[in-house]
Amino acid sequence: KRQIGQQTGDATYYDVGTGACGVHNVASDSIAAVSHALFDSYPGYSGGNPNNNPICGKWATASYNGRSIRFQVEDRCGGCAGFGDLDFSDSAFIALFGSLNAGRVSGVTWVLDGDGGSGPSPPSGGSCAKTYTAVSGGRD
């Protein structure tokens, strides 16, 4: 089993599109780009075509100040300085922090599902067109 364990880093948001994993996403998708350092060194990835990185499409859970969200890894963040940094879609950032006003938030913890996280694995197979994310905590 490939594991990277719990990570802690800064969170930002970006204009999504077609990412390093080869999937086209929109701002309402609950996705994130992981740091280039993590993406490039992820177990089982030997470089070359980033679409073939085993981290692509994995689900993860991020937490901050009593809130948590699930998101899917769909991109590589070239501008992320820390190994555990994340660059979220607008909707994922808003779900975790309440608005885009924070810009950059330090101390966000996250873990890939099945890698020490508590979230259930997404169903396999099927052809779901939309994913909904439950958010714990109150609304701002």
Side-chain angles (χ1 to χ4, degrees):
K1 183 176 175 180
R2 295 180 170 113
Q3 294 185 333
I4 59 167
Q6 181 173 298
Q7 300 296 313
T8 302
D10 289 355
T12 53
Y13 62 92
Y14 74 114
D15 291 327
V16 302
T18 302
C21 294
V23 175
H24 183 79
N25 293 103
V26 295
S28 60
D29 293 333
S30 186
I31 65 132
V34 297
S35 74
H36 61 90
L38 190 157
F39 190 95
D40 295 347
S41 66
Y42 190 74
Y45 180 59
S46 58
N49 185 346
N51 295 186
N52 298 328
N53 191 321
I55 200 169
C56 291
K58 289 201 177 287
W59 285 90
T61 302
S63 301
Y64 183 79
N65 255 7
R67 287 185 171 198
S68 64
I69 62 162
R70 288 189 70 230
F71 65 93
Q72 201 166 15
V73 176
E74 293 289 358
D75 206 351
R76 175 185 184 273
C77 177
C80 290
F83 188 81
D85 290 357
L86 295 170
D87 209 4
F88 286 109
S89 62
D90 288 359
S91 63
F93 193 90
I94 291 168
L96 192 54
F97 305 110
S99 76
L100 298 176
N101 293 339
R104 176 180 298 274
V105 179
S106 297
V108 175
T109 59
W110 65 278
V111 67
L112 292 171
D113 289 359
D115 205 20
S118 59
S121 296
S124 60
S127 59
C128 295
K130 190 147 187 111
T131 299
Y132 295 90
T133 302
V135 178
S136 63
R139 297 183 96 175
D140 288 348

